[in-house]
Amino acid sequence: MRQAAAPASPPRPTLQSVLRRAHLRLAFVAIAMAAVSLILVAVIALRAYAGNNLNLLVRSLGYTVEAALVFGDRVAAAEAIALIANKEDVAEVIVTDGKGLPFAAWQLPAGSTIARLERDVADIALPGPVTILVLHDGIVVGQVEVRGQGHQFFGFLLGGIGGILACLAVSVLGAYVSSQRLLRNIVAPLRALARVAHAVRRERAFGQRVEPVAIAELNELGDDFNALLDEFEDWQNNLREANVALEHQANHDALTGLPNRVQFESRLASALSAAAVTGQRVAVLYLDCDRFKEINDCLGHEAGDVVLVGIGARLRTQLREIDLVARLGGDEFAVMLAPMREAASAGRIAEGLLASMAPMIVLPDGRTVATMISIGVALYPDHAGDAVGLLRAADAAMYRAKRARPGSWQFAEGVAGPA
């Protein structure tokens, strides 16, 4: 039964987008709170100012209609009210006589929808109708009631809303500019650090470093990251050196520094594969020190080690750069000559190797040691078709040379002479 695929996780927001949204929210909240606070303060102040104006206006109207109330002149009262109310921010004026009966009134025409909206806002935000008693010689002769229009308050409210929107637009622009600066000062260094981290993780590029930046915290983070990369680079270099050393130890003889049997057989197999394609010969020389056991028994193992090192060095000097000499173990060495154009060349090289052993080997204590080697030579494809068979044929030829005359060389059986 197939399992249902896990739902894909939503994309994560970038640091730049998070900072930009945070700036926009902060700017919006700050401007909104400041605007609301200012509007509340202004509304309270304007309400108090409107109340004072209405109180002054109602007193003025009371003085104006006092005579008309005393003499009962309704027309004069109405004209006086209209003369004053038309010039003020007034929606309605009602005058009653001493008995509370309507005497005169003035009301602002209904007008447009905006005018009606202004009155609705005034009814909610401004003080209620202001009333004053009209006195004549200490006797109440009437009452004047005034209701504000709210035109000035409505204009202030619209202006405040427009100011808030303008401030929000400016804040958005400022947040965008600020986010661009953050991109340069904060996000860009973090992106650079992330690029270096990705390169180190994917490409093992431990040599890369984070550049210094202006912000102290980010610069300190970059320094710590660079220090960590330094440690990783040192660790990688040490590991590489250790691997090289281990590889060298696995493929080379610890005493002489020459390739060991494993490397010799591997390179011999590669050379035989190439020779099978090109049709050329490959020669293997198997060498053995004739007096090595005697040297070890009489002079000690340290002297034997010096002799082996000396033999390896002399063999190396007699060969070409493309030839390979190896220590197979104990006092046995092997040489690979590839390519070989003719069998006689292998014999001449064997003669040269024997001749190189003639000088005495000087020990650290000043004593000298004479040494000889016996050599067996085998050719591909004359004596064997693989590495194991070729080494076996050369080894057998070396033992025949040692039995016939120590310090000599012989071809493997099957070759009568140089070809």
Side-chain angles (χ1 to χ4, degrees):
M1 181 177 180
R2 298 181 59 186
Q3 295 181 350
S9 58
R12 299 179 184 271
T14 63
L15 178 61
Q16 182 181 0
S17 64
V18 171
L19 291 176
R20 181 178 289 120
R21 286 197 296 267
H23 276 179
L24 290 176
R25 293 194 195 100
L26 181 61
F28 178 81
V29 172
I31 295 299
M33 292 182 63
V36 170
S37 301
L38 289 176
I39 288 177
L40 288 177
V41 173
V43 166
I44 294 172
L46 188 60
R47 181 184 175 89
Y49 174 75
N52 291 333
N53 281 348
L54 287 177
N55 285 325
L56 292 175
L57 181 60
V58 77
R59 288 193 185 97
S60 177
L61 288 172
Y63 293 140
T64 301
V65 300
E66 179 182 354
L69 285 170
V70 171
F71 294 104
D73 190 349
R74 296 175 182 274
V75 176
E79 290 178 352
I81 293 172
L83 182 64
I84 296 176
N86 284 328
K87 298 179 181 180
E88 301 294 336
D89 190 17
V90 177
E92 185 179 24
V93 179
I94 299 175
V95 180
T96 58
D97 58 15
K99 297 179 181 180
L101 299 176
F103 184 76
W106 179 90
Q107 188 174 15
L108 187 69
S112 63
T113 304
I114 296 179
R116 290 194 296 271
L117 182 60
E118 290 177 353
R119 294 180 192 179
D120 294 338
V121 172
D123 291 339
I124 298 173
L126 293 180
V130 179
T131 304
I132 188 173
L133 298 176
V134 181
L135 302 175
H136 180 73
D137 294 336
I139 300 173
V140 176
V141 297
Q143 178 178 294
V144 179
E145 180 181 309
V146 178
R147 187 183 300 275
Q149 178 186 0
H151 176 72
Q152 295 178 351
F153 180 82
F154 188 75
F156 171 79
L157 186 61
L158 290 180
I161 294 174
I164 291 175
L165 294 177
C167 290
L168 286 177
V170 173
S171 299
V172 170
L173 179 62
Y176 176 78
V177 174
S178 179
S179 66
Q180 294 302 313
R181 291 183 178 178
L182 279 175
L183 177 62
R184 292 192 299 268
N185 297 332
I186 296 179
V187 179
L190 291 177
R191 284 181 175 174
L193 191 148
R195 283 194 297 269
V196 173
H198 290 166
V200 171
R201 180 174 65 88
R202 295 174 181 175
E203 305 171 8
R204 301 299 181 188
F206 291 103
Q208 294 197 22
R209 294 295 181 271
V210 179
E211 297 294 332
V213 294
I215 299 178
E217 290 81 1
L218 293 179
N219 190 67
E220 184 177 355
L221 176 62
D223 290 341
D224 292 340
F225 187 75
N226 289 338
L228 185 62
L229 289 181
D230 290 338
E231 294 182 7
F232 275 133
E233 188 174 18
D234 291 341
W235 171 79
Q236 186 188 42
N237 291 335
N238 293 335
L239 183 61
R240 184 184 296 112
E241 292 174 358
N243 289 337
V244 171
L246 289 175
E247 183 180 2
H248 187 273
Q249 292 176 7
N251 294 303
H252 290 78
D253 175 56
L255 177 63
T256 62
L258 297 175
N260 58 14
R261 177 183 287 272
V262 173
Q263 185 179 2
F264 184 84
E265 291 180 351
S266 174
R267 292 181 60 177
L268 177 58
S270 299
L272 294 181
S273 298
V277 176
T278 60
Q280 294 179 323
R281 281 192 172 100
V282 175
V284 170
L285 282 64
Y286 206 106
L287 301 85
D288 183 81
C289 183
D290 293 323
R291 300 180 56 246
F292 186 72
K293 186 177 184 307
E294 179 184 342
I295 294 172
N296 261 345
D297 293 342
C298 298
L299 302 178
H301 291 287
E302 292 184 358
D305 291 344
V306 172
V307 170
L308 292 175
V309 172
I311 292 174
R314 294 182 182 185
L315 294 177
R316 180 67 268 175
T317 58
Q318 299 297 314
L319 300 174
R320 302 170 299 179
E321 288 293 331
I322 61 174
D323 298 330
L324 176 65
V325 57
R327 182 191 176 197
L328 303 183
D331 60 342
E332 296 179 338
F333 295 83
V335 173
M336 180 182 70
L337 307 175
M340 288 296 297
R341 296 182 179 178
E342 53 184 21
S345 298
R348 288 193 294 270
I349 292 175
E351 292 286 354
L353 295 178
L354 293 176
S356 68
M357 299 298 148
M360 304 286 284
I361 295 178
V362 181
L363 300 179
D365 59 4
R367 291 178 295 174
T368 58
V369 178
T371 184
M372 293 187 303
I373 60 174
S374 298
I375 304 175
V377 181
L379 298 174
Y380 169 87
D382 304 71
H383 302 120
D386 58 11
V388 175
L390 205 59
L391 279 171
R392 186 181 297 115
D395 185 24
M398 181 271 298
Y399 276 109
R400 286 192 293 105
K402 184 185 291 285
R403 287 193 297 268
R405 181 170 59 88
S408 64
W409 69 274
Q410 284 194 17
F411 271 115
E413 292 182 349
V415 174

